[in-house]
Structures are given as structure tokens and as C-alpha cells.
Amino acid sequence: MALKIVKGSIDRMFDKNLQDLVRGIRNHKEDEAKYISTCIDEIKQELKQDNIAVKANAVCKLTYLQMLGYDVSWAAFNIVEVMSSSKFTYKRIGYLAASQCFHESTDVIMLTTNQIRKDLSSPNQYDTGVALTGLSCFVTPDLARDLANDIMTLMSHTKPYIRKKAVLIMYKVFLKYPESLRPAFPRLKEKLEDPDPGVQSAAVNVICELARRNPKNYLSLAPLFFKLMTSSTNNWVLIKIIKLFGALTPLEPRLGKKLIEPLTNLIHSTSAMSLLYECVNTVIAVLISLSSGMPNHSASIQLCVQKLRILIEDSDQNLKYLGLLAMSKILKTHPKSVQSHKDLILQCLDDKDESIRLRALDLLYGMVSKKNLMEIVKKLMLHVDKAEGTTYRDELLTKIIDICSQSNYQYITNFEWYISILVELTRLEGTRHGHLIASQMLDVAIRVKAIRVFAVAQMATLLDNAHLMTGNVQRKGICEVLYAAAWICGEFSEHLENPMQTLEAMLRPKVATLPGHIQAVYVQNAAKLFATVLKSQEGNTDRTAAQETSQLMIDRLPLFVQSANLEVQERASCILQLVKYIQKLQQKDVEVSEEVTALFAGELNPVAPKAQKKVPVPDGLDLDAWINEPPSESESEEEQPRAIFAKEETKHSRPRHTEVDEKELAKRREVRKQEQANNPFYIKASPSSQKVYQEAHGVEHIPVVQIDLSVPLKVPGLPMSDQYVKLEEARRQKDRADKKKKDKKKRKEKRSGRGKRHDSGPESEEDITPAHMVDIVTEEMPENALPSDDDDKDPNDPHKALDIDLDKPLADSEKLPVRSHRAAEAPKSPAEDGDAESTTPQEPKKKSVKEKKEKKKDKERDRKKNKEEKKKKKHKHEDKGEDLLGGQEDEPVVQSEEASEVAAPPTSTSAEVSDLDFWLSNAPVPSKAQVVSEQETATVEAEAAPVPEAASGTAPDSEPDEPKDPEMEETKSSKHKKKKQKKEKEEKEKKKKKKHHHHHHHSDGGEDKSVQNGTVEEEEEPLPPMSNYCLLAENSYIKMIIEDADQVYDIQGNLQDGSQVVVSVIFENKCDSFLKSMEFNVLDSLNSKLQRPEGSGPHDGLTVPFQLPPGVSNEARFVFTVQSIVMSQKLKGTVTFIVKNEDSSTHEKLDFKLHFTCSSYLITTPCYSDAFAKLLESGDLKCSSIKLEGVSMPFHHLLARICFHHHFSVVERIDSCASMYSRSIQGHHVCLLVKVSGETVSIDAKCDEPTLLGNVLDEIKQTFSQC
Amino acid sequence: MIKAILIFNNHGKPRMIRFYQYFPEDMQQQIIRETFHLVSKRDDNVCNFLEGGSLIGGSDYKLIYRHYATLYFVFCVDSSESELGILDLIQVFVETLDKCFENVCELDLIFHMDKVHYILQEVVMGGMVLETNMNEIVGQVELQNRMEKSEGGLSAAPARAVSAVKNMNLPEMPRDINIKVPSLSPF
């Protein structure tokens, strides 16, 4: 045995190892493939041996061969064997090989699950690390599902090395198994604040990657990232975060406002170019998101542009490239700022680096104006001539066309020039963009009526010289242009100087070598030309000419009739027969030209490319419904013949004589005219384009000028386009000279060259007289066209599945699957830290260790969450129009199932979001958004969960109680999605609370039952929109006006034995001055009194125990004693404070009204249906009912509203009927039965205190009357 | 996300390839060829970014590369990565190689592709940047090598000896073409 091992190891010595293999391959340069195949045979032998070392060696060699392109998937099983070796050395080889060649369809992967799980829980961190690394490359949905829980456990591993790997791999797991995202997310979020920078960076990495794809779900993390951004010094992390913010700002402009300052600071302070660049990028994103209505950010734009200029001027090509890249982003929104750097960008066009030239080209797009368009295009044309690679040249070509055609040819003042540019571009060798040029020619000729004469002449020349384009095989792409040329000549043949010549050109035998679809157009348009020619010839007395023309057609058409292309053949034979018939008639001396021309009569209107798509589906037409019964068997689908005119057909393949109902047409036309008349951008087509002169009022749009008929448009046929261009230039000079004379201007212009033709350099944009008379026809759209919604999201995008609401509380069913063979073998992984997920969903009562641990946190979170919900609700209620985050509003959690779940009303998405709102609005926000943000700022804090009696006896300090009631805890722990930040804030608030309790409250000695019902109080800055006041009031908000300061008041009813209500107020300083000596005072009523410290008089104010520097907010709490709760009431109050500036200090005061509604005395208390039934049966309750009409919201929204505004909980819900329960702070039971039928809601209510019930119902009624 | 990391020499011979998205082998080779074609015709003094090749990624992807002596290090990344950041990362990676191999040259990569992979695994994992601190990376790599050595123990010694002898016999192993890692200041 021993001998065998020794022998094995000696054998092994002479086995080829990786180095030998490499050396061998290098020594067999001529017959490498042969050598490798012998090596593979050897490897196969080695893999058959039992010795794992031999196998590992073989697998290692295979990994190398895989790199050279050899498929090694046949060895997958051996790789798995090596992976499962107990030695790290071999394991590592195995995992490396697996990561190189395993993929989702590798079937042996399913054998690895247990091995990987074992490695993940190995005591050796490198075993775990290697497994994680390997897994990150070949994780499959199955592996992800089976291992998600193990990996999640590793996220809390003691070693940061493992933690960071586990965190990173979670991203892959999420991609493959999206269900794991929600359960794992809280922990991932925790890792954002991991003490180890590597782990933190990994978490940032993962969340950024997730957020990039579905940014809206991560908006609520913005405050946390903001904190990281301002605290982190790791450039990697900073870059990631700043990039993330760039993705978030478009969704939330207020975030952008908050970001600008720290980013600007970073831009000024950082020395790292990478960071600087990303900052600039994000500032740009912010500016784009703010572009509307935020004019005062020009400083930021200037800063960005200036920094980018520095980058572009840098000798480092990388910086130059990135500078241009970022510049193009600014260009979209702030073209002016970029245009001032035109010099620099034009300079970059000459750079030797193609990447940089391409970037500079992108920029040019936005820099053109009427003034410089020709100059820029001229420069580009020079580049076209110089360009060596076809790719770059094609890029130039498309750019030229893009630049010229952008915004509906906005910058073109002379279409003759543009046509000649297009014609010039046809000279390009081997371009792929013949199509593009052709469609431009068509577009211009169709839409710019005034140019048709010129265009037709040019096209006729092109047709005449068609051999130049067809001759060379390389020029295939460009012959597309002939398609356009033929069509234009045919369609607008009345403008042809010499139609006969063109007709001949179109019927040359050479044409038969063109692609089919072009020939088809040739044939069709030859017919049109024929009609025109006939017409002119019949006018003459000489009949023979007309007959000769017919004869020409009859002679030449048979060539096309023989065409292999069906379209050509069909058209040709049709037309041939027609012409033969015409000839017959001609021989009988019949005048035919009228009839022939009628074949092609009518004007074509350009139709927008998407017009067809946008025709609205009429009401009652279901396109998906079967008209007849579906065929029983799926018949083989007939292949649709490929549309030959696919590319251009929208514009001209419309049948000429569609037999559409004339009336209908007229009607449509009428509607369209109406529409166009109201559209200032629509330049009305006048019946005769020749005498159009219209001023587009108010818009310096496309100028329309009288056509100058004195300009000779005659262009003789030219053999070479080069020459043609020269002639064209000459013509233009003449043109210019003519104009000059007419204008009697004395400007000198003897310079030649097309580019200089606009010697109008100093002229302002508006002064540039368009050299040509333009009448751009807008493309037609169907009436009632649907708004564009081309949201082309790739349905296969794996990230789509990760568009998951992360803020919704976690349901039991969502927990990650845990490996469990038998119930007895509850997983006790080494790293077991009492994972919440190990609870089986079937046992909802059984709480995991973690949950217990976290219950306190959860409790807090829960409370907070509730508060947020309310706030959100309110926000929603108040300003629907302002809801920037509309997409976030999900349906409230289904409420019927678990009554306990219901205690906390709707979604916490909205909760998170409104927390974000709160955070966002902390910043001093400028004017417009102010109102909104202030409304959002108000925070309602309300403890949704009721306080069990058990909690009594705790000192006021421990105010947020610790519920002992297991059911309660269940409720809470079921959602543990909360941000740390929030927790912190919560804690802060708690402290504050404590302080205050001590302050005002110590005497009562009673137990604090931390049930707080919220009313909200809010203050507004000088702008007092009455509508808001209204809304606020009815939501028990109070509106106040304070000078200079923005203070947000937040009332929370905190209930005590003696019916005490705690009002917590957040004071926020919105001005630039220091606020101090704040005093809070309320005019007591008989029923309600503010609790004041012993010894103070009944009218003394309470000192607010803090001062507020600018921009800071803080919270204070005030306690009220309430005698009777059956009536709502309002208390008047005042806050006084001193505003301290550098040089002065003024005393200011702010009045407000506190509104205690009856609903605010109710506590959301869960109630089980059996208890509820008993309560109803008991018979001590008085009955009352109301009906609400015209409530059109979904039922669950309605319930959520009642839950939220009036602190009820749903006991049971069946279809459109629900029972609800709540309890007052003095122990009154309130039961509701809510029924909905149509828009009518009837509420039957029972309560042991009729007055209270009446008031509550009134309040409910009011709530719904407002929505 | 990083989609692929390719190392090939001036002739387009792959020295290490790492795809973070599955491509069949022939496709991988095609990508290498295309990338080499794109990268090799660029001068050394032009920018290090290339709009992605047609095979990998698409418009969202960029090739970010560095050229050291005989080797190209090409990272194919999407827009979530910072361009300058990745350039730094390449530098970190190469400097790490330099430390681990002690004056790294192309031959080190040729004969120790596996080790290059192991080092890379400490830098990038599953397409995401794992660690950028060179000392941390080198530390982890060395710890793992030490572990490998201790596992090999006595039985690995003869194999190493044989390997050393084999290497001695080969005069054609010049070590002069070091990848002269320039000390670039990070962006």
C-alpha cells in the first residue's frame, strides 16, 4: 500500500504539469493542434486514475487549454471531483476550472450543491472564499435558491474576507433567484455600515448595481448613501455612490438640490480625477433633472463646463475623452454653455485618436446654429474626404445628416445647399448609408415644396449618371440613392427640364443590374414620366413624337418583364400592356394624355413614421378577441413575403387612389386643419408654395420666404459630380450676386467656396435670410394619435425580475428556503446567529432567536413605519398632483388574512418614501418646491400598536414600551425593514422625548403607554396658499406663518392613564439666522391643558430646550391633559423666538392652532374576530350609521384611509365588506362595519359612547368628502 | 459590472481570460480576436477607452485597456463602472502581479496562468470589484500560497524539484521582457 503511494507520487513527478504543457505547446509551434490533441488524450488517461493529485493536475491543464479555445466540458464531472477534494490546493484548481467552463446548462452543476454548501461552512476561510469565488461565476437559479440562505449567513461571518465575498455574491444570487432579494435586503443594508471598509465597499457595490437597474426602489436609501458620501474617504465607494446618485436624481429632483452643494465641494477639493469626473457627471445629471424652473444653477453649470474644459485640454487622452463625453451630456440641456467652447471641440475633430474624434462629433450635433451650420458641415466634408477608415467615414456621414436634419431641419437656411451636400455624399466609396441619404432626399423633396424644382434637376442628373454608382460592386450601398432619385423624378416630373431624357435614362438596359426594389421604382416612375411626356407632346401638333415615346416604352419594358424580381415583373407587365393599349389609341388619333395623367394624379402627403402605430383603437374593438372560433389545430404560419419597400414605404407606398370615403377624408382633413391651426409650430401649407410668405409668429422657426424665380435653376447634365459641385457653387455665387443687387447692400463677397456663402458672420441668428424659400410640411399623424409610449424595455433583461419593492414588510412565505431533510435536523450551521429565516413559515407563532433579539428594534421600526405611513397618506391626500413618487404607491398589504398584520396599515414603501421626503425637505429648499416640501415635512408619529397593560409601571424614561404580548411582537417582527438611519433618528427623538418627559412630566409618575395618536401640525412660510390651509385644517393640520423660519410642528397624542396627550413638535430653522429662546405656549381650555412645570403660572410658556442654528431641526414634546375625549377641539397657541443675525436680533412669534380630533383619541387596537363578535353581541353598544356617496377609490384604499386617519384596524374583510375596530384612550370600544356597493359606502358603527361615535363618523365623512 | 477581463500579448495570444458571462469557447476566441484587432491598431498615446466591440455587450459596454510592454490588459465594463477607476484597477492588478511574481514578465503569465487567476480572484469577483487595496490583495494571496505549500508538504517537494530541473534545462526562457510597471499616479 505504502509502496503504491510512493510509486504514485514518483509517477506523478514525471507527469506533465501545467508548465510542461505550456512548454510543449511552445515547442510545437508548427503542429500545435496535433500536440494538444495528444495532450488531451494524456489528460483523459490521467483523469481515469484514482489519485486526486493526478486528476487535479489534469484539470489544471484543461483550464489552460480552455483558454486556448478548447471545449473541456466533457471533463465537467472530473472537475466536480477535484472541487470536492479536501485539500485546498486541489479544491482551488477545481473551482477555478469550474468557474471557467461551467454555465447554466452544465448538468453536473446540480451535483455540486452539497459540496459547495459544505465548503461555504468550512472552518477554513479560504475554502469558503474559493467556493464563493467559484460560485459567483457559475451560480444557477437552482444553486441560488438552495444556497441563498447559507450565503446570507456568511454575510455576518466574523472574517471580513468572507463577509465581503458573501455580500458581493448576493448580487449574483439576486439575479438568479429574485425571491431572495427581499429577505436578504435588510442585512445587505446593514453591511453598508460594516466596520470593515472592504465589506462596506462591497455592499455599496451591490446596492449600486441593483439600484442602477431599478432606481426607484432604492430612493429610500438616499439619506443613508448621502451620509456615506459625506463621511467616506474611500474613493471607490464615493465614486459608486456618486454614480448611484446620478441614477436617482432623475426620479427625485429634490435629491438633486440636496446633492449640489456637497458635490460642488468635492469638485473643488478632490485631487482624484476619477472622483472629480464622476462628481461632474452627477452634477450634470442633477442639473438635467432640475433643468426646468431652476435657472439659478448657472454657477454649477459653469463650474462643470470649466472643469471639463480643463479635462479636454489635458494632454492625457483619457481625460480628453471623458471630458468630451461629459460635455455631451451638458449639451442636451445647456447647449449655450457648451457652444462657447466650440473652438476646443472643433480642434478635437482633428485629433489623431478616433475615439476622441467620435466624441467630438457627438458634440457638434448640439453646437450648430443657422449661422455656423454650413461652416461646420464644410469642415466635416473635408474630414470625409480625408477619412481613411470606412467606419469613421460612415460615422461622419450619419453625423452630417443628423446635424442637418435635426429638429425638423431647423438650422438649414438653404435647402439647395443641403441637396447638393447629399448629392456630394453619394460620391462616397463603399458607404453603408445609401439608405440614409436616399431617405433624406425623399424627405426633403416631399416636405420642402420649394426645393422640388431644384431637387428634380439634381436627381435627373444623378439618374443620368447612374452608371457611376452601379459600375462598382463596392458601391452597392450607394445605389439606394437611385431609388430616391427615380422616385423624385417620377413624382415631381412636372418640374423636369427634359423629361424625355430622364425617361430614357430610366429605361437603360443597365438598370436591370440594379437591386429589384430599385428597378420596381424605376418602372413605376417611368410610367409617371411617360404620362408627363405624353401630356407635353400631345400639346404639340406633332403626333409622331408621342407615338415614338410610347414605342420607346414598349421597346424597353420587356427587359423588366423578364426580371426575376416579382415586383418588377408585375409592374412592368402591367405598364407594358397599358402602354400598348395607349399606343393603339394613339394610332386612332385619340387624345389619351388626360387619362394617363389621371392615373398618377393627386398629391402625396408625408405621413409620420409611427402614424400607423398610433391610430387609436376604437372603443369596443378588441383586437385580441377572435372573430371566428379559433382553428382547432395550429396551422403552419405562412411566411409573410418580405416587404420590399420596408424602409421608405411609410412615405410613399401609400396607394394613390385609395377609395376612401370622401366624406370621411374631408372630415379628417378638417380636424387636422383645426389641430394645425392651433399649433404654433405648424407652418401651414398654402395651396401655392410659390407665393408663400408666412411668418411663424413668435417662433423663430423655419423661415418662409418668397421664392425668387429669377434664379436660374437649370443644371445641365454633368458627367462628374465633382464638376457638378463646382457648377453648383458658381450658380450659388450668381444667386448671391443677384440677391445682392436686389438688396442693394454693399457687402463685399468675392470669396468662393460653399462654406463661405453665408458671409453673414456678424449677423445675429435671426438676421440670416434663408437663401431658400422653405415650406416644410409636417408629417401627418392620425387624429387622436395616442401619445408616444415607446418604452422598449428588453423583456429578457434579468434585472426586470429584480424590480421588487424592498420596503414592503416581509411576509413569512418569503423567507429563504432552508435545507432541512427532517424536522429534527433543524439547520445549525456553524455561523448560526439565530437567523430569522430559519423559522418555518408554517409556524407563525414561533419566533426565531433573531426576531427576539430584534424585537426592540423592530418595535421602534414599526412605530416609525407607521408614522411614515400616515405621513405618506397625508401627503398623498393633500397633493396628488405633486406626487413625484407616484410609482411607488403600491397596494396596501392584504388585510383580510391576519388581523395582526393589519394593525399597521398600508405599505411601508410609502412610509420609506415619506421618510425620504422628510430627509429631503430638511434642506433649505428654494421657493417653488417649498410648499410641497413643507407639507411633506410634517411628521406624524403614531404608535400603531396598542400598549398592553403589562407595560405599565415603567418609568416615563422608558417610554417606548417593550411589549410582552407575543402576538404583538409577531406583528412587529413580521416587518423588519428599516433603515439604520431611521433607527438613529428614532433614538434621537426618543431621547428628546425623554428629556421632555422629565421636564414636564415627571410629576405624573404614571405609566407611559406609548400609544401616540397623531395629529399633525404644520407651519408655512409667508406664502399662504388657501387651498393648503383648507387641506391642512381638515387633516387636523395647523397652519402657521413664521417669518424667516420654517418650523415644523408635529403633534403626537401620547396617551396616559389620565388621558394625557403628548405632542411632539419638530422645529426646523429655515432661515439663515440663528433661532434661540424659543417658547411654546398654548391657551388652555377647560377641557385641555398644557402641562407646565410646577410653580409656573397657567399662562406661562414652556421654554424649548434647544436653539436652532440655520438649517437644523430638532424635536420637542409637550404634554396635554385632556378631560373629555368625546368632542374634538382646537387649541390656540403661540411660539415666540428670537431671530439672531450677525448684527441684529429680532423677536418673532408664530401663532398656530392645535386640532385634537376625536379620531386622534382613538388607538389602533387589533381585535380578533371572535372577540369582536362577542363585543357586538354584548349589547351595551349604541348604534349609528352613515352613508358616503361618490367614493370611487378601491376598497382597500378606503380601508387604509380609515385605518390611517381614524386609527382603526381591520378585523375581518370579506369581499367588499369589512369590520373594523378601534379603542379610545379612555377605553371606549368603537366598531365599524363598512360596506361598499358601487360608489356608495355605508358605515354602520357601534360604540358605548354615542357622542364620540357621532364625532368620529363625522370626521370619517369629512375625510372622504375631501377626496 | 465587469463583463470580461482579457490579457493577451502583442500578437493576440491569450494569456489569461476571464469571462463573467457565459460564452461558448469559440465565441470567447472570437471576442479575443476582435478585441485584439480593435486594441492593437491603436497607438500607445491615444486614449484607453474604446466603445465596445460588437460581440460583447453592446452600446452600454466599453473596453478599457492598458498596454504594458508585451501585454494588453483589457477590461470590458458597463456604464456602472468609472472609466478612470477601472484604469486604476488595472494598474493595481498589474502592480499586484508584479509583487507576487517579483518583477512580472510575460513568461510568468504564460507558465502560471492559474496563479494569475488566483490573484485576479482577490481583485474582482463575479464581475464586481472586490478589493482595491494592493497590500490586502497580496496578503490574501500569500496566505493562500502558504496554505498550499503546507498542504503539499514533503510529497510535493520532489515534484517541485523535477519541475525546477526541467526549467533549468530550458535556455529559451529569457526573463528580460519584464512588464515594466510604470508607477502611474492614480486618477
Side-chain angles (χ1 to χ4, degrees), chain A residues 1182-1186 1243-1247 1250 1253-1254 1257:
Chain A
K1182 314 276 184 306
C1183 232
S1184 180
S1185 66
I1186 51 165
I1243 301 179
D1244 295 318
K1246 282 188 173 184
C1247 178
L1253 182 62
L1257 288 181

Side-chain angles (χ1 to χ4, degrees), chain A residues 1166-1186:
Chain A
C1167 181
Y1168 288 107
S1169 48
D1170 42 354
F1172 188 74
K1174 266 190 202 138
L1175 189 63
L1176 289 180
E1177 282 163 12
S1178 66
D1180 352 311
L1181 306 182
K1182 314 276 184 306
C1183 232
S1184 180
S1185 66
I1186 51 165

